[in-house]
Amino acid sequence: MSAASPRRRRRLVHAAVVAASCFGLGIGAGALLPPADDWLALAGASDATAAAPTPTASATPVPGASSLAAITADPQATAVRTPEVEVTAPDVDDPDSLTVVVNKQRPLDPLDHVPDDLVTVEGIPNGVTMRAEAAAAMTALHEAAVEAGAGFSISTAYRAYGTQSSLYAGYVRSRGQDGADRFSARPGYSEHQTGLAADVSNGVCTLQACFATTAAGQYLAAHAWEHGYIVRYPAGSDAVTGYIYEPWHLRYVGAEVAAAMHDGGIATLEEYFGLDPAPDYR
Ligand SMILES: [Zn+2]
């Protein structure tokens, strides 16, 4: 990632504009297939390599797009000059950031990034791994769901670059790149590689939209945010996220961002951070 402070400032300003305009994106939707990573999840998962931290912006105080909109809308904010305070904006570029945004336009950098704090998610039988903070939050979310009669398992969580790479290469050999791209995520473009995403299942409608109608699907849609998770690929947002509705794919973003998105009715990370839509690869 380059030293992208100017670019990031523009993006943050854009985030405010987007927030102020109720996140209306007039993008034509296309028929998109589920991400390879989730399809491949059924085939099994595993491991990847090193990380390169990116510079952190210390520009405008922007804890989140909606907060920036609130700040700029406050007349006091323009009337009173306060000393410049350095506030670290949520980092959407650093692969080690809990708010990193990965999509078909935004690969991990480096492509073979491996999180350095992967742990086994406790309380869920099949021993999947996630980054430590996401794993602890997932354990808490799972406990709450079980208590509400909406228990679930996890079919896959962290998946390594190497696994994705060999699977994708096999599909390219047998079907060509265009064919492979229709159902397989390119290595380095999978959110599962961040260690912050998990595909959940309760044995019904596994990796299908009807999962949303199950007790677990309904509970997660309503309560995942309380534990810092979002349903990353919501219905009707495929022109923004590049993926069809995936009620089973949860992404950890931290309590603050998840609550802000919930409270603001913001569907996607791209809209929350004012990033370009990513309907397809560049
Ligand atoms: Zn997934």
Side-chain angles (χ1 to χ4, degrees):
M1 252 339 99
S2 59
S5 290
R7 190 169 146 236
R8 172 167 293 149
R9 285 196 184 99
R10 280 200 303 278
R11 180 191 304 142
L12 292 171
V13 169
H14 180 216
V17 172
V18 172
S21 64
C22 299
F23 302 88
L25 291 182
I27 303 143
L32 298 170
L33 290 165
D37 26 320
D38 287 347
W39 289 54
L40 298 177
L42 292 172
S46 81
D47 167 67
T49 350
T54 56
T56 301
S58 58
T60 333
V62 182
S66 44
S67 305
L68 176 60
I71 289 164
T72 53
D74 180 0
Q76 290 282 39
T78 52
V80 179
R81 287 200 177 276
T82 52
E84 193 167 320
V85 179
E86 294 221 342
V87 176
T88 303
D91 194 324
V92 297
D93 299 325
D94 185 343
D96 287 318
S97 167
L98 294 174
T99 52
V100 64
V101 179
V102 177
N103 60 35
K104 291 178 178 178
Q105 298 282 319
R106 299 175 51 85
L108 283 161
D109 180 15
L111 281 176
D112 59 356
H113 172 70
V114 182
D116 61 7
D117 59 348
L118 293 169
V119 299
T120 299
V121 180
E122 292 180 15
I124 299 181
N126 44 341
V128 297
T129 57
M130 299 185 78
R131 291 190 58 194
E133 186 173 323
M138 178 57 78
T139 298
L141 173 59
H142 180 257
E143 284 174 1
V146 168
E147 200 161 311
F152 57 85
S153 62
I154 299 180
S155 58
T156 190
Y158 170 66
R159 194 160 51 246
Y161 176 88
T163 304
Q164 194 78 15
S165 189
S166 55
L167 287 167
Y168 180 78
Y171 286 124
V172 170
R173 280 195 297 276
S174 62
R175 308 179 193 209
Q177 183 157 3
D178 287 349
D181 282 342
R182 292 186 68 78
F183 60 90
S184 178
R186 295 178 185 176
Y189 289 77
S190 171
E191 200 171 57
H192 285 280
Q193 197 182 320
T194 66
L196 298 170
D199 294 334
V200 302
S201 163
N202 59 359
V204 180
C205 290
T206 301
L207 303 187
Q208 299 175 60
C210 58
F211 175 72
T213 66
T214 67
Q218 291 181 343
Y219 182 85
L220 293 169
H223 298 286
W225 71 272
E226 295 166 6
H227 298 274
Y229 277 90
I230 60 169
V231 175
R232 174 69 173 98
Y233 306 121
S237 294
D238 45 342
V240 176
T241 65
Y243 295 111
I244 61 165
Y245 182 32
E246 294 193 8
W248 63 86
H249 179 108
L250 301 183
R251 160 67 197 270
Y252 185 74
V253 293
E256 190 179 333
V257 172
M261 291 178 69
H262 173 266
D263 294 348
I266 302 164
T268 67
L269 284 182
E270 285 81 3
E271 290 159 297
Y272 181 74
F273 288 118
L275 301 169
D276 290 338
D280 210 338
Y281 295 105
R282 287 192 185 100

